[in-house]
Amino acid sequence: MPELPEVEVVRRGLARWVSGRTVAAAEVLHPRAVRRQAAGGADFAARLGGVTLGEARRRGKYLWLPFADGTFGLLGHLGMSGQLLVQDPATPDETHLRVRLRFTDGGRELRFVDQRTFGHLAVEELDADGLPHSLAHIARDPLDPRFDDAGFLTALRAKRTTVKRALLDQSLISGVGNIYADEALWRSKLHYDRPTDTLTRPLGQLLLANAREVMTAALAVGGTSFDSLYVNVNGESGYFSRSLDAYGREGEPCYRCGTPIRRAAWMNRSSYFCPRCQRVPRQRAA
DNA sequence: GGAAGCTCCTGAAAGC
DNA sequence: TGCTTTCAGGAGCTTC
């Protein structure tokens, strides 16, 4: 499941292997992969033909390659199972190949492979800052040097929701998904259902620092791979799954206190937590 | 307007 | 062996 570290690994791969190259042709093999393209797959392909792709950029879990003229860009989101692979044209097509970009230099092609089709690609207009229009509501991520810590803490405590919901709210803080939310909460000894208005400012700062720390550590080892669904542009897995403290460890002892980690159903997904270290607060702050 | 819940999707794994 | 059910979850959309 690609979150910020995994997407950043892919962005770096695109910057190395794709930026600066000119698209010869785009081929859409599954319409759902370009469902955000209002005018459809033919329009998507037509807009890409002949354009030179600039430096790969990222905001949260979104990636984009601006066109050389800066007016439009190729925007992508990997969803749950999306992969952007740089492959030799002679390599057989992957089972779930959805979009292919061939380049004028005849070298490696860019393939968008996505088993569960939650990801998508689109050609979008960029604003004056070079940001795709549809990302206007996406907050900066905590690894962004221009992330506003104070503003985030104020907004977090003003929310009338619970802390894990807030961490997954991409308009508040981007890049955090289910895995790193659980890891940041475990490191901060916070229960996922803790109301945000009961968080003190120091606790909020601790949570933000832990989110940063865990994602930085994951990025250093290529991200988290549980299966073949997340790989970098060369098809290689990351190694951070070996370093997770909570996520995916149901029944295994907490590394702090030895209590078995629990998995709870939460919003049609799972939350992993230590029932001893991460207790539910009894009441809201006044 | 903000928060909560639903839905999309595929394939592996588990259960029968 | 083969069929059915469960599970994984990002984010747009709908409902309250």
Side-chain angles (χ1 to χ4, degrees):
Chain A
M1 281 64 85
E3 299 182 30
L4 189 157
E6 293 76 35
V7 177
E8 174 59 19
V9 170
V10 173
R11 188 202 66 78
R12 292 175 183 181
L14 291 176
R16 176 175 179 187
W17 297 102
V18 177
S19 293
R21 299 173 71 196
T22 301
V23 179
E27 182 183 5
V28 177
L29 295 108
H30 195 301
R32 194 173 145 78
V34 293
R35 62 192 179 282
R36 306 280 175 213
Q37 189 79 31
D43 179 61
F44 172 85
R47 285 173 178 273
L48 278 167
V51 304
T52 299
L53 301 171
E55 192 65 24
R57 295 184 61 187
R58 178 185 61 75
R59 173 163 288 195
K61 301 171 200 169
Y62 286 91
L63 289 161
W64 72 97
L65 290 151
F67 294 177
D69 67 5
T71 54
F72 285 81
L74 172 61
L75 174 67
H77 193 294
L78 302 178
M80 281 184 63
S81 54
Q83 302 173 347
L84 283 165
L85 302 174
V86 178
Q87 295 281 46
D88 188 292
T91 304
D93 288 358
E94 293 75 8
T95 306
H96 302 104
L97 177 61
R98 310 302 191 193
V99 176
R100 182 201 327 268
L101 263 62
R102 291 193 175 90
F103 295 94
T104 53
D105 56 20
R108 292 186 180 192
E109 56 189 39
L110 180 63
R111 297 179 181 181
F112 181 58
V113 176
D114 191 8
Q115 180 196 94
R116 295 177 194 169
T117 67
F118 276 29
H120 70 271
L121 299 179
V123 173
E124 267 201 30
E125 196 170 1
L126 309 181
D127 68 16
D129 294 325
L131 186 75
H133 281 171
S134 67
L135 303 194
H137 67 294
I138 303 293
R140 292 185 185 277
D141 62 68
L143 301 191
D144 185 330
R146 293 174 67 188
F147 183 85
D148 179 2
D149 285 25
F152 165 73
L153 293 170
T154 300
L156 175 70
R157 296 173 70 212
K159 285 267 180 188
R160 290 292 178 267
T161 187
T162 51
V163 65
K164 185 168 174 182
R165 276 184 176 277
L167 281 178
L168 298 181
D169 182 349
Q170 304 296 301
S171 66
L172 185 66
I173 179 171
S174 68
V176 183
N178 204 42
I179 296 173
Y180 296 114
D182 278 0
E183 292 301 302
L185 289 167
W186 182 87
R187 289 180 179 217
S188 307
K189 299 184 180 179
L190 286 170
H191 190 276
Y192 60 88
D193 256 346
R194 172 136 177 176
T196 46
D197 59 2
T198 69
L199 289 175
T200 61
R201 207 165 184 84
L203 259 182
Q205 284 170 332
L206 176 68
L207 179 62
L208 178 57
N210 282 329
R212 266 203 188 104
E213 194 176 280
V214 70
M215 290 196 288
T216 301
L219 179 57
V221 292
T224 301
S225 303
F226 285 105
D227 48 33
S228 59
L229 292 184
Y230 161 66
V231 293
N232 66 17
V233 298
N234 298 314
E236 298 156 343
S237 296
Y239 295 99
F240 196 69
S241 58
R242 300 171 187 176
S243 306
L244 295 174
D245 292 312
Y247 187 88
R249 296 193 61 242
E250 182 181 19
E252 295 177 40
C254 170
Y255 290 132
R256 268 193 304 254
C257 71
T259 304
I261 295 289
R262 270 193 209 156
R263 181 179 72 87
W266 179 84
M267 280 183 63
N268 292 329
R269 58 199 69 182
S270 294
S271 268
Y272 294 87
F273 67 106
C274 171
R276 186 171 177 190
C277 299
Q278 297 169 264
R279 294 178 190 269
V280 192
R282 290 204 176 100
Q283 59 185 29
R284 288 170 181 270

